[in-house]
Amino acid sequence: MQRIPISELKAGMVVAKAITNESGMVLLSEGTTLTDSLIVRLGRMDLSHIAIQGASSSDKSRAELLSELDHRFEKTGKERYMDVIKGVLKARIEEVFQ
Amino acid sequence: MDPKLLRSQIEQIDTLPTIPGILRKLLAVIENPKISLTEIGNFISNDPVLTSRVLKMVNSPIYGFPGRISSVQQALILLGLNVVRGLLLGVSVFEVMQKSMVGLWEHSLGCAVTARIIAKKKNIPEPEEISVSALLHDIGKVVLILRFKEEYERVIKEAELKDILIMEAEKEVFGITHAESGAWVAKKWNFPLSLVEVIEYHHKPSLSKTVTIQSAIVHLADILTRSVGFGFAGDNYVPAVNPTAWELLDLSDAELREIIDEMDHTLQEAGDFLLGDESG
């Protein structure tokens, strides 16, 4: 899940978290696929970002993200406890692309 | 370089002609140990750039009081003199960071966010103080850049060419790292000992005697910020976590995951602020 600015929304993206109005009424439920007309309506609301499923803030591929992660941990990945940190980060990347 | 000479040269950076005006004015105020809350409040309020930066910072998702703090006086009451002094120093070195090491400002903000999140998770009192220590943990890089511009450019080049960590390159060129130079100026500028220690030991938190847990938090915040690839601190590598610090913080995999998720979320929300845009 990533929070995407309203201006960068595109039709076909899937809402990851229900969008509610001030009184808590659900306007768009989790799992809704955005259409152009929905995006126009979202633009009229007082929202800056919405949560989108599976999106990544960059357009990097899974392979790119994993290789960058490997590179950052290249010198210290084998040190004590570094596998724990790297493991959590790897799991997050994998989830995004599921 | 002789460490004693190095230290005295660094401690005198406020007399350098090349130092940014905003920082010179600020140092004159914060170096005075007898300064009162009212005096510092007036000083900041008289400077519109400082006022806007500090208020923007405390009202950003980085500090988590969104929209609640409307004046410098209120910030001083809510956060205390030391936190505000630290924030002032942080926002005053912003330009130096932007100019000399692109990404260092983002790295510092990333650490500030992360340290606050870890401190809250561990129920440590005064998470804002820890967050400010994290914001300033690399201040030693800024003072080395200010005082020894050419030598530091060599450090940056060397780290890149030899593919080593920036602190290793600093050691080769200066014989010390930014942890030492940062602690020297923090002491000189009358910051509390807790802040001095966190800066001095952010690579070796188990050596900190009085603020071991705070040092461990900033140490881990530094590592996590680099681990997610946010900002740039002089090299592209994650340094090893200090095992004693890791064990002291005792985070489960699930807690670590929650911390990273919250970091990611907060840093995205803080996006506009992170760009350092001065218009708002």
Side-chain angles (χ1 to χ4, degrees):
Chain A
M1 184 200 91
Q2 293 280 336
R3 290 175 58 81
I4 307 280
I6 298 292
S7 58
E8 286 171 29
L9 292 176
K10 288 189 184 74
M13 288 180 168
V14 179
V15 177
K17 235 167 129 185
I19 299 164
T20 54
N21 68 7
E22 285 137 33
S23 50
M25 197 177 87
V26 176
L27 302 173
L28 276 185
S29 58
E30 189 182 322
T32 307
T33 304
L34 293 178
T35 60
D36 287 329
S37 68
L38 279 176
I39 295 169
V40 172
R41 273 150 66 191
L42 284 170
R44 292 194 204 116
M45 294 169 62
D46 192 21
L47 291 169
S48 60
H49 294 71
I50 70 167
I52 291 296
Q53 272 180 18
S56 165
S57 57
S58 57
D59 292 323
K60 285 177 186 159
S61 68
R62 173 179 166 277
E64 271 175 295
L65 290 169
L66 288 175
S67 107
E68 283 177 11
L69 184 69
D70 278 339
H71 177 71
R72 291 199 286 272
F73 280 79
E74 199 180 282
K75 289 182 188 291
T76 51
K78 291 197 173 68
E79 304 272 345
R80 251 169 103 195
Y81 304 122
M82 293 303 279
D83 56 327
V84 182
I85 299 175
K86 194 179 170 188
V88 168
L89 287 164
K90 209 171 160 186
R92 278 184 99 240
I93 297 174
E94 299 286 7
E95 268 173 42
V96 168
F97 289 93
Q98 252 171 26
Chain B
M1 268 187 239
D2 172 38
K4 262 191 195 154
L5 183 66
L6 201 57
R7 180 169 184 165
S8 77
Q9 286 178 329
I10 284 170
E11 283 175 342
Q12 285 161 25
I13 62 158
D14 41 344
T15 61
L16 281 181
T18 48
I19 196 167
I22 192 170
L23 182 57
R24 186 203 316 275
K25 275 200 282 179
L26 177 73
L27 290 179
V29 175
I30 63 175
E31 268 197 32
N32 175 2
K34 288 188 194 128
I35 191 135
S36 71
L37 271 181
T38 322
E39 281 170 303
I40 199 156
N42 289 340
F43 168 76
I44 307 163
S45 305
N46 282 331
D47 189 317
V49 177
L50 268 186
T51 304
S52 120
R53 283 189 189 174
V54 167
L55 291 181
K56 218 168 157 188
M57 183 87 142
V58 292
N59 286 313
S60 76
I62 297 162
Y63 281 89
F65 304 98
R68 279 177 40 207
I69 303 180
S70 55
S71 70
V72 171
Q73 270 68 25
Q74 201 188 348
L76 281 164
I77 292 163
L78 269 171
L79 300 169
L81 182 58
N82 282 328
V83 169
V84 173
R85 268 164 36 112
L87 285 173
L88 281 170
L89 182 59
V91 299
S92 305
V93 296
F94 161 73
E95 281 94 356
V96 185
M97 286 190 174
Q98 292 287 72
K99 264 186 231 148
S100 45
M101 192 184 274
V102 177
L104 185 57
W105 173 245
E106 285 79 2
H107 171 72
S108 302
L109 285 181
C111 288
V113 164
T114 310
R116 184 174 63 87
I117 295 169
I118 304 173
K120 283 188 130 172
K121 184 125 275 177
K122 294 272 95 183
N123 288 317
I124 309 296
E126 292 167 356
E128 287 77 27
E129 280 204 15
I130 301 180
S131 183
V132 165
S133 321
L135 180 72
L136 297 176
H137 78 286
D138 272 350
I139 191 78
K141 288 179 186 159
V142 176
V143 298
L144 285 172
I145 290 165
L146 281 173
R147 182 64 186 80
F148 303 104
K149 193 167 180 285
E150 279 156 36
E151 289 86 343
Y152 208 85
E153 277 163 8
R154 213 165 76 223
V155 166
I156 295 173
K157 251 184 226 134
E158 209 147 296
E160 202 185 317
L161 283 175
K162 292 192 180 165
D163 201 25
I164 53 176
L165 294 174
I166 191 86
M167 58 175 159
E168 293 168 339
E170 287 170 347
K171 260 218 159 113
E172 283 181 19
V173 172
F174 294 106
I176 57 144
T177 74
H178 63 273
E180 280 88 19
S181 59
W184 293 340
V185 289
K187 207 178 269 180
K188 167 88 193 314
W189 297 338
N190 290 309
F191 276 96
L193 195 64
S194 55
L195 184 95
V196 177
E197 249 188 54
V198 170
I199 293 174
E200 187 162 9
Y201 299 123
H202 74 266
H203 302 136
K204 304 167 187 164
S206 51
L207 293 181
S208 164
K209 290 181 206 84
T210 56
V211 281
T212 322
I213 189 112
Q214 288 84 344
S215 301
I217 288 174
V218 174
H219 170 71
L220 184 62
D222 186 11
I223 286 167
L224 291 183
T225 306
R226 285 158 164 268
S227 297
V228 299
F230 190 82
F232 180 72
D235 57 66
N236 289 312
Y237 296 106
V238 183
V241 68
N242 177 287
T244 317
W246 178 264
E247 284 157 15
L248 178 70
L249 293 173
D250 192 30
L251 295 164
S252 67
D253 283 23
E255 283 176 312
L256 184 62
R257 172 66 197 247
E258 284 163 24
I259 290 167
I260 295 173
D261 285 345
E262 201 181 330
M263 265 172 87
D264 194 30
H265 180 82
T266 311
L267 290 173
Q268 283 192 45
E269 287 213 313
D272 299 341
F273 183 80
L274 290 165
L275 297 173
D277 128 65
E278 204 81 284
S279 58

